[in-house]
Amino acid sequence: QAPVHLFVHGTETITKMQSTDQDIFMQYQDKLNEISVKVKELGVLEKKMGEVAEILQQRKNNIIKETEHIQKTVTQWSGKVHLDVGGVKYTTALSTLTKYEGSMLTAMFSGRYHVEKDEKGRVFMDRNGAAFGYVLEYLRNGEEWIQPEDKHMCKILKQEFIYYGLPYGDDVIKEKDEKKPAQIEWDAAKKGGNIEISNDNRTARFPATTGSKAFQAVMSKNPISGKVKVRLDSYDPTSNTGDGWMALGIAPADTYLVDDPYNKMACGWSSNGCSWVRGSYQQNWIKRYSTGDEIEIDYDTTNKKLKIHHIRLNIRAELQVPADIVSPLHLILIFFSQSKNDQVTLVWSL
């Protein structure tokens, strides 16, 4: 019996050992499977990390590229930008042109795009040159800007603001009612020989001639008191260089209208960039006048002071009429030799 019992017991023992080994094997197999899954997960994670690293590298490259663009822009413009807008020359700060994010001007001068310049380093834009002066004033001063009095110019500005990607709502550009027509008129009986006066006596024109008198002038019929606005309907800015330019001011009624009316004028403004009193320069202005510009003349008869305001450029001057010049004074417009079809219209008076 004993041998049989031992055999049976030994067999059971071996069977249990085999079962234990199988359990251990299965446990190891499960662990191996878990490790295999983790390895695969690590592989996926590594791939994703590689993709993230690639994205981060691309972003880094973009930042470097953007920085290079900014540095290039700063170097290219050196803080100033010289423009030729429809033939009118402007110089302004890069920060002014790029004030409004998302505007066409900001994109144009961001450095991302190639901007061609002429031989003088100016960027040409085929837009309304006179209107762009007001655009610059808005960029410089925001809601505090001084918009034009002229209703037609306000309509033009809405188009220009849309083009440049600037806000143009009624709270920005308000179309104003026109003031009453000018009560003051040019006097056809008081003018130089070559000057032409319109039928309504509001427009004075100097045709392109050569060999004319050095100065030719026209005066208003009535004395000036209060405000008058005039418009340069036709004006050749090249007249500023050389002998062709014009002047607007006030003078006694007996001022001689040819040869030398300039030195007999009390005071006024001239298109070559200065204000003056009796032929003597008082204040030099930048020569940026163009067709469509408007100038306000405001004469205080009590204090004998003349205020001049170039509306588009927002340039102002206040001049004292010499004490020995006797009132009443008339508005006077002087054309100088070699003017080229320059034309001035009285817009309104108060």
Side-chain angles (χ1 to χ4, degrees), residues 88-102:
V88 183
K89 309 301 189 296
Y90 293 95
T91 297
T92 187
L94 177 63
S95 58
T96 298
L97 292 174
T98 58
K99 183 176 181 179
Y100 286 92
E101 186 176 355

Side-chain angles (χ1 to χ4, degrees), residues 57-119:
Q57 184 61 44
Q58 183 62 43
R59 289 181 180 177
K60 178 182 177 182
N61 293 339
N62 290 340
I63 292 172
I64 293 173
K65 190 175 181 180
E66 183 72 16
T67 302
E68 291 175 350
H69 276 305
I70 293 173
Q71 291 174 342
K72 180 181 177 182
T73 301
V74 172
T75 302
Q76 180 181 9
W77 304 114
S78 300
K80 288 184 180 180
V81 181
H82 303 286
L83 302 170
D84 178 346
V85 185
V88 183
K89 309 301 189 296
Y90 293 95
T91 297
T92 187
L94 177 63
S95 58
T96 298
L97 292 174
T98 58
K99 183 176 181 179
Y100 286 92
E101 186 176 355
S103 71
M104 183 276 278
L105 292 170
T106 296
M108 182 175 181
F109 295 99
S110 65
R112 298 185 182 94
Y113 307 100
H114 174 68
V115 179
E116 291 188 4
K117 301 179 184 179
D118 62 17
E119 64 279 3

Side-chain angles (χ1 to χ4, degrees), residues 151-166:
K151 190 175 182 179
H152 179 64
M153 179 57 76
C154 287
K155 291 181 179 179
I156 292 175
L157 277 176
K158 283 194 174 183
Q159 297 176 343
E160 296 302 294
F161 272 48
I162 292 172
Y163 176 80
Y164 293 118
L166 300 172

